[in-house]
Amino acid sequence: MSSFEIVEPRSLEEAFGFLAGDDPAIRPFAGGTALMLMIKAQVFRPLRLVSLRALDGRFTGIAPGGRGTTVRIGAMTTFTALEHSANIRRRFPVIAETMRTLANVRVRNVATVGGNLAHADPHLDLPPVWIALAAEAVILGPGRERVVPVEEIFAGYYETNLRHDDLIAELRVPIRPAWRTTYIKVTPRSAHDWPALGLAVSAALRDRQIDDVRIVLGAATDRPTRLVAAEAALRGGHIDEPTLRRAGDAAAAEALIESDDRGSADYKKHLLRVYLARAMRKLAGEEP
């Protein structure tokens, strides 16, 4: 392993100074759980790593935002803090449910919300959930700030639309009392394994009628992907067998699913049909 420099800036200006230029061997990092594995495997050979641990303000904490219409989550919030936050459990119980099979406690103690998004591994559990919840990311750069839907961060397999000196500062998750959300993780081995398919579904229901819905597929595609055709097949309908079958067929047709060591594309399309129907029934209170 070649030597490299680790710096820990105390201000945003100092951080951007360390990140100046376009050298891909200079990179920011948060918890570093994935980055250190990449370095050990010599997939990534850094020249300089810019730690974000000392940045506070917008990068830390979980608090109400937007006049009580959103919850603001700092990008340096660890998964453990997210898991045990009473505010998150009350507003977004799907997060606590997802944490039950997300890695292990050692990883959750270190891994961060922002670093997880910036890593852009399509097998990760939380990105599909954030997208289903309609979360937005606040992204800072030298003299610039923009707010984008989380789904716009991802460009492909381990690829993002972030610039070299962009930093995810926080997430803003809207509070939507009429919506229910679930995440289903389908693994070929243990429950904590990488998923063959991850499916996040959020819906506004009136009894069994679907007023609106967001469906996000992970793991089986090269990035977390909204299934808009399946959403259209469900929106305005009822949770019944014909509607669920139609939505499952639409989902399987539109998703660009790839074969890998966790299953063939055909197998994953079958899983998608089955688990989309189960997710909708679960949201309607029919399945545990």
Side-chain angles (χ1 to χ4, degrees):
M1 183 185 300
S2 57
S3 61
F4 56 90
E5 175 188 24
I6 297 180
V7 295
E8 189 171 278
R10 300 288 170 170
S11 68
L12 267 177
E13 292 74 18
E14 189 179 6
F16 292 138
F18 283 126
L19 292 169
D22 295 319
D23 191 337
I26 298 175
R27 184 179 295 187
F29 80 101
T33 53
L35 190 63
M36 290 303 126
L37 292 176
M38 294 173 67
I39 293 172
K40 288 180 180 179
Q42 298 189 15
V43 175
F44 174 58
R45 297 182 178 181
L47 177 64
R48 176 191 298 149
L49 296 179
V50 182
S51 171
L52 306 180
R53 287 188 304 176
L55 299 183
D56 53 14
R58 301 175 74 175
F59 287 80
T60 58
I62 300 171
R67 298 182 180 178
T69 61
T70 65
V71 172
R72 187 199 70 82
I73 304 169
M76 291 299 291
T77 301
T78 66
F79 285 177
T80 295
L82 193 68
E83 179 181 7
H84 296 293
S85 165
N87 196 3
I88 294 296
R89 285 176 174 269
R90 182 174 69 256
R91 298 295 189 184
F92 314 112
V94 65
I95 299 294
E97 294 170 9
T98 301
M99 287 294 177
R100 294 173 188 167
T101 57
L102 196 158
N104 57 63
V105 68
R106 296 184 302 279
V107 170
R108 296 198 297 271
N109 283 341
V110 178
T112 66
V113 169
N116 186 252
L117 290 174
H119 185 49
D121 184 334
H123 300 95
L124 298 175
D125 296 308
L126 278 182
V129 175
W130 296 128
I131 297 170
L133 291 171
E136 295 179 324
V138 178
I139 301 172
L140 304 181
R144 63 180 183 267
E145 174 179 331
R146 67 186 190 276
V147 181
V148 302
V150 166
E151 57 259 46
E152 294 185 9
I153 291 176
F154 307 103
Y157 193 71
Y158 286 95
E159 294 181 356
T160 72
N161 291 309
L162 299 172
R163 302 177 188 176
H164 176 73
D165 52 1
D166 274 344
L167 299 176
I168 300 173
E170 64 182 58
L171 293 189
R172 296 173 182 172
V173 190
I175 298 170
R176 305 179 299 172
W179 290 67
R180 302 174 186 173
T181 307
T182 189
Y183 176 70
I184 296 177
K185 176 177 181 175
V186 186
T187 62
R189 292 179 285 270
S190 72
H192 295 81
D193 193 13
W194 288 121
L197 179 144
L199 188 66
V201 182
S202 189
L205 304 176
R206 285 183 296 156
D207 296 324
R208 301 179 63 81
Q209 180 173 328
I210 307 161
D211 288 341
D212 204 355
V213 65
R214 291 171 67 95
I215 303 167
V216 188
L217 176 64
T221 51
D222 69 348
R223 74 197 81 175
T225 304
R226 283 274 303 275
L227 301 182
V228 295
E231 292 173 358
L234 289 170
R235 195 173 289 117
H238 290 76
I239 298 177
D240 53 34
E241 194 60 36
T243 300
L244 295 178
R245 187 182 307 112
R246 187 164 56 249
D249 289 343
E254 72 174 308
L256 300 177
I257 293 178
E258 301 176 353
S259 299
D260 58 21
D261 60 356
R262 294 173 181 84
S264 68
D266 286 343
Y267 171 65
K268 293 180 186 179
K269 288 183 178 183
H270 171 70
L271 292 178
L272 177 56
R273 289 185 175 94
V274 171
Y275 284 97
L276 176 56
R278 289 187 184 181
M280 292 306 300
R281 292 191 180 105
K282 179 180 178 181
L283 293 178
E286 291 184 21
E287 294 189 2

